[in-house]
Amino acid sequence: NAGVTQTPKFRILKIGQSMTLQCTQDMNHNYMYWYRQDPGMGLKLIYYSVGAGITDKGEVPNGYNVSRSTTEDFPLRLELAAPSQTSVYFCASSYSTSGSRTGELFFGEGSRLTVL
Amino acid sequence: QKEVEQNSGPLSVPEGAIASLNCTYSDRGSQSFFWYRQYSGKSPELIMSIYSNGDKEDGRFTAQLNKASQYVSLLIRDSQPSDSATYLCAVNNGANSKLTFGKGITLSVRP
């Protein structure tokens, strides 16, 4: 079972470049999320989506954009990369809020991004 | 700003001991609470969830919730070296399954 798949796993960008982190899930989850994790800082929510065509900002959305054209895919776009965006990025998905599975996130393996 | 606070670590315990990990949260409207384990260089994985006051046991793990004190904890009995990881507390206030995570505490179990 693939679960949540992220690509690329590693990437080095130069300041000002743009790129897209890809995320796809095969569990038919409606909810998808992008988090970033900096050393010793836990996980910060960048953007999330409650279904195809619906996205919303999290805690730290500046410098990022997302789209959700299908249930399976939730790409994260970095425009004009800055050193402050150096981080590990995790995509996650979950069941809907109804029922006892609320808050059970399934994470991808992460994408380590360095901006130089 | 909803906050989730965890003890500053790292925490070191000998093999076979009980490890106690603590977490407090600021939003009284929070409805569900989670502990995720993250091995170094890996992604977080859910190990415990708790929704009502009291204790919930799953094998060597026990989650404890006290909503009046806004406090949730994780006890790991008979700690093993394989339990060495960072443990993240997460809280959900019910809105779109958006979790607020604590900074995590790193547990080291000494053989």
Side-chain angles (χ1 to χ4, degrees), chain A residues 81-100:
Chain A
S84 61
Q85 293 177 304
T86 294
S87 189
V88 179
Y89 292 83
F90 288 102
C91 179
S93 69
S94 74
Y95 298 96
S96 68
T97 53
S98 62
S100 62

Side-chain angles (χ1 to χ4, degrees), chain A residues 5-116:
Chain A
T5 303
Q6 290 181 235
T7 57
K9 288 185 170 48
F10 303 93
R11 182 73 185 268
I12 298 175
L13 280 181
K14 294 182 179 179
I15 294 172
Q17 288 185 319
S18 300
M19 74 161 297
T20 298
L21 299 177
Q22 301 291 346
C23 177
T24 187
Q25 53 94 7
D26 63 359
M27 296 175 282
N28 201 31
H29 287 166
N30 285 329
Y31 287 70
M32 296 188 74
Y33 314 83
W34 275 105
Y35 286 90
R36 60 176 287 172
Q37 186 174 39
D38 301 314
M41 296 302 293
L43 292 159
K44 297 293 186 184
L45 182 64
I46 304 171
Y47 270 96
Y48 69 100
S49 169
V50 301
I54 306 169
T55 63
D56 206 349
K57 296 177 181 179
E59 297 177 77
V60 290
N62 291 345
Y64 307 95
N65 277 299
V66 294
S67 60
R68 185 96 181 271
S69 57
T70 67
T71 298
E72 295 77 20
D73 300 309
F74 190 41
L76 178 71
R77 177 85 176 159
L78 281 72
E79 304 282 0
L80 299 175
S84 61
Q85 293 177 304
T86 294
S87 189
V88 179
Y89 292 83
F90 288 102
C91 179
S93 69
S94 74
Y95 298 96
S96 68
T97 53
S98 62
S100 62
R101 308 297 291 272
T102 300
E104 180 177 354
L105 302 187
F106 294 81
F107 285 86
E109 293 184 341
S111 299
R112 184 175 296 274
L113 176 67
T114 301
V115 182
L116 300 175

Side-chain angles (χ1 to χ4, degrees), chain B residues 6-71:
Chain B
Q6 295 185 244
N7 307 62
S8 60
L11 176 65
S12 180
V13 301
E15 185 173 356
I18 296 175
S20 177
L21 312 177
N22 303 316
C23 175
T24 58
Y25 58 95
S26 63
D27 183 6
R28 283 198 171 274
S30 299
Q31 298 178 9
S32 46
F33 309 86
F34 307 89
W35 285 97
Y36 282 79
R37 178 177 62 198
Q38 186 176 24
Y39 292 114
S40 181
K42 302 296 185 182
S43 57
E45 59 176 331
L46 180 68
I47 55 171
M48 288 290 286
S49 58
I50 187 165
Y51 303 96
S52 55
N53 280 330
D55 294 359
K56 178 182 178 182
E57 186 174 318
D58 183 0
R60 296 185 295 110
F61 297 94
T62 298
Q64 300 175 317
L65 175 61
N66 184 326
K67 288 187 177 180
S69 300
Q70 296 175 242
Y71 173 94

